[in-house]
Amino acid sequence: MKYLRRCLKALGWLMLALGGLVAVWLAALVIANWNDDALTEAAQRALQYTPPTEQALDGNGYLILMGLDAPAGGDAIGDAIALGRQRLAREIERRRWVEAHGDRQEGMPPSITAEATLGDVLPDRLRCPVGEPDCFAWFVKHGDEVQALAKTHQALLQRLAAAAGAPQFSNPAPFYLLAEFPPYALLVRAHELLLAQAALEWMHGQPQQAVDIARQAAQLRSRMASTSNSLIASMITLAMQHRELRWFSDASAQTASLTPAAVSTAIEELLSVPTESLGSAMEGEMRFVASGFYMYKTVDLFTSPWDAPPTWWQRLLNKASNWAYLPGQTLNLSLDYLQEVQAIGGMPAQKQDAAFSSLMQQLEDDGACLPWKRLRNVTGTCLAAITAPSYQGYAQRVTDMSGYRRLVLLQHRAATEQVAPPDMPAWLAQSPEALRNPYTLEPMQWDAATRSLVFEGREKQNQNPGRSSTYRVRLRG
């Protein structure tokens, strides 16, 4: 009994000592996070949004995309612009609401929803299958239906043409937490219908008209990519570019001797345009991150209600996480990382791996998520650090598409120069740096068994067979 009392007494003193240590640690945590940092100039810029002037909206093709789903009436372009202006005004109104009320839905102005007409524009059964070796032949087999759809959706295709050739093109919409996007799904399907129409023109002996349509599609996609304000929009433009490159690959696979010189030159010029970087998209990403962190500057992010199921120690840990969170410093640090990612994305592809590895090593050495390494803003520092590695995948998707573009341009030149299959390895070995593997600067691969040019990308690609990261174009003729 005496020993039991001594053990219980010792245990009591131990618990008291541990409680004292926890109390001291919590007090030190509160003191270390008593004052937040002032926002940097970059953070202040990211939080600002200036509505566009009327001069910036006049003749702006992006408004047509914002109203792409407007009902077809007497003025196809004017109706789309009118709906685009309404959507823009509503998005500005919704952003102001989020600034004032956070993510509270009650009372928030509703978005102007898009009409779901994807299946009407180009049904899935008419889309060229992923494994189809010749989309031109595929669309010929379904030519009557494709032409009927093009006629039915003439107003939609006119809107694409007007947006592609508009006097100016810039994205005036704010990108913020809870932002709504233009009807991108409808845009992608209409873009696909446009390329199907171009394929039919080619197969009906009108290659110049076909290339003119393809140029229009490429110009629209390029303008979207260069003014993108989100990674989502940029990934959509990459998907559109993949379909364009598949179209150019099919066109290049036709008998070279039957292709007019002017058409061949036009294809060469279109394929020589570099893939857009993520520069503008990362600017938008900074604004999105800023809106999120700023919105929650006075909210407990990690605290569950005290009557919730979590145990007392889980609730205490959640509370401590809030005490160790400084929204200002977190926003500043997050934007610092994003600026580094943006700078890396602007580097040549062969240098990006080392740069991303250096950034990841820096984050690991800093021990951003290790509470024993720092007391000040350990939660915010960890939040800022854990998102940085995910951006490498986006940069690699851009590089993959650049590699595919180079591959199709090589295919086109090989067809134009009538390079014989046995001569392909030597011909590829002499290819310029601008047409080599962007990651390694080695010549593209030649698969003699399948008469294919091959490029090994890094990221899974939904439009490749089996979602493979391997890009392959076959030489015919």
Side-chain angles (χ1 to χ4, degrees):
M1 217 36 203
K2 179 173 68 173
Y3 292 110
L4 179 60
R5 283 197 302 270
R6 288 179 177 177
C7 288
L8 291 175
K9 186 176 181 180
L11 182 60
W13 281 108
L14 178 62
M15 294 299 293
L16 184 62
L18 289 176
L21 289 175
V22 170
V24 170
W25 180 79
L26 288 176
L29 186 69
V30 171
I31 293 171
N33 292 277
W34 192 258
N35 292 313
D36 199 356
D37 290 357
L39 294 180
T40 62
E41 290 185 12
Q44 294 178 40
R45 285 196 306 271
L47 287 168
Q48 294 173 356
Y49 169 74
T50 303
T53 63
E54 183 59 33
Q55 183 179 6
L57 296 180
D58 187 27
N60 190 337
Y62 194 86
L63 290 176
I64 300 175
L65 298 189
M66 292 191 75
L68 195 63
D69 57 324
D75 184 358
I77 311 305
D79 292 342
I81 292 174
L83 179 57
R85 282 178 173 271
Q86 291 178 27
R87 276 210 175 98
L88 176 60
R90 181 61 55 85
E91 279 301 288
I92 294 173
E93 186 181 0
R94 284 164 58 86
R95 183 186 184 276
R96 289 170 179 160
W97 170 271
V98 169
E99 285 181 333
H101 305 283
D103 61 351
R104 181 162 63 87
Q105 301 290 318
E106 182 181 356
M108 184 176 186
S111 60
I112 301 177
T113 56
E115 297 293 332
T117 58
L118 306 185
D120 295 337
V121 175
L122 186 66
D124 289 340
R125 63 183 181 81
L126 294 182
R127 304 175 75 192
C128 186
V130 168
E132 176 63 38
D134 186 350
C135 286
F136 280 23
W138 166 269
F139 286 124
V140 167
K141 286 190 295 186
H142 303 278
D144 291 343
E145 291 179 274
V146 171
Q147 287 179 330
L149 287 169
K151 184 176 181 179
T152 300
H153 298 286
Q154 183 178 8
L156 182 60
L157 297 182
Q158 287 176 350
R159 288 168 181 170
L160 295 190
Q168 61 176 328
F169 195 100
S170 62
N171 187 340
F175 187 44
Y176 60 100
L177 201 70
L178 306 181
E180 293 287 336
F181 293 101
Y184 283 141
L186 179 63
L187 167 66
V188 169
R189 198 60 66 96
H191 177 266
E192 200 170 352
L193 176 59
L194 196 64
L195 293 174
Q197 188 182 31
L200 290 179
E201 291 288 348
W202 185 287
M203 297 301 284
H204 292 159
Q206 301 294 332
Q208 185 62 62
Q209 288 87 330
V211 169
D212 288 343
I213 295 174
R215 179 188 289 107
Q216 185 183 102
Q219 182 176 352
L220 175 61
R221 182 264 314 158
S222 179
R223 297 182 91 177
M224 283 182 57
S226 63
T227 60
S228 167
N229 71 344
S230 71
L231 291 172
I232 292 175
S234 291
M235 294 305 104
I236 288 172
T237 61
L238 288 180
M240 294 168 68
Q241 187 175 12
H242 189 289
R243 292 186 177 90
E244 293 167 15
L245 291 173
R246 194 177 179 189
W247 189 96
F248 286 120
S249 177
D250 283 338
S252 300
Q254 305 299 316
T255 304
S257 60
L258 300 180
T259 303
V263 171
S264 182
T265 300
I267 293 176
E268 169 87 16
E269 291 174 351
L270 289 169
L271 289 174
S272 298
V273 178
T275 302
E276 295 286 345
S277 73
L278 296 178
S280 64
M282 289 305 299
E283 290 290 339
E285 185 73 4
M286 292 179 201
R287 295 188 180 94
F288 179 81
V289 169
S291 74
F293 281 125
Y294 186 76
M295 188 187 76
Y296 287 118
K297 64 183 183 297
T298 59
V299 178
D300 286 347
L301 290 179
F302 311 97
T303 302
S304 301
W306 286 97
D307 59 348
T311 60
W312 67 269
W313 64 267
Q314 290 174 317
R315 295 197 296 268
L316 181 61
L317 182 61
N318 288 338
K319 198 68 176 177
S321 296
N322 279 294
W323 290 339
Y325 172 68
L326 298 175
Q329 188 190 62
T330 303
L331 175 54
N332 294 340
L333 189 58
S334 296
L335 294 190
D336 285 344
Y337 288 144
L338 289 177
Q339 286 176 331
E340 287 192 58
V341 170
Q342 185 183 39
I344 293 173
M347 295 179 179
Q350 68 273 15
K351 296 182 179 180
Q352 289 183 9
D353 278 351
F356 271 114
S357 295
S358 176
L359 176 59
M360 299 307 110
Q361 188 62 52
Q362 173 192 333
L363 297 177
E364 183 178 343
D365 293 342
D366 288 347
C369 296
L370 303 179
W372 56 85
K373 279 205 167 188
R374 62 173 54 82
L375 285 177
R376 180 170 168 78
N377 196 30
V378 62
T379 303
T381 303
C382 185
L383 279 175
I386 60 178
T387 59
S390 63
Y391 291 102
Q392 184 172 8
Y394 292 103
Q396 289 183 162
R397 285 182 175 89
V398 173
T399 303
D400 283 358
M401 198 55 56
S402 178
Y404 185 31
R405 179 189 61 80
R406 297 177 184 202
L407 203 68
V408 176
L409 183 50
L410 282 169
Q411 176 198 19
H412 176 70
R413 288 187 180 179
T416 301
E417 298 174 20
Q418 298 183 357
V419 180
D423 299 331
M424 284 300 299
W427 186 76
L428 289 173
Q430 298 175 1
S431 60
E433 182 179 304
L435 293 183
R436 296 189 171 209
N437 185 314
Y439 292 108
T440 65
L441 297 185
E442 295 293 323
M444 294 293 188
Q445 302 173 34
W446 169 247
D447 183 353
T450 59
R451 293 169 54 109
S452 301
L453 291 166
V454 181
F455 162 62
E456 295 291 345
R458 297 276 181 86
E459 300 292 321
K460 292 181 179 180
Q461 172 55 252
N462 292 336
Q463 296 188 63
N464 286 344
R467 299 185 66 223
S468 171
S469 59
T470 301
Y471 294 78
R472 181 184 299 269
V473 294
R474 290 178 172 83
L475 270 63
R476 302 181 204 146

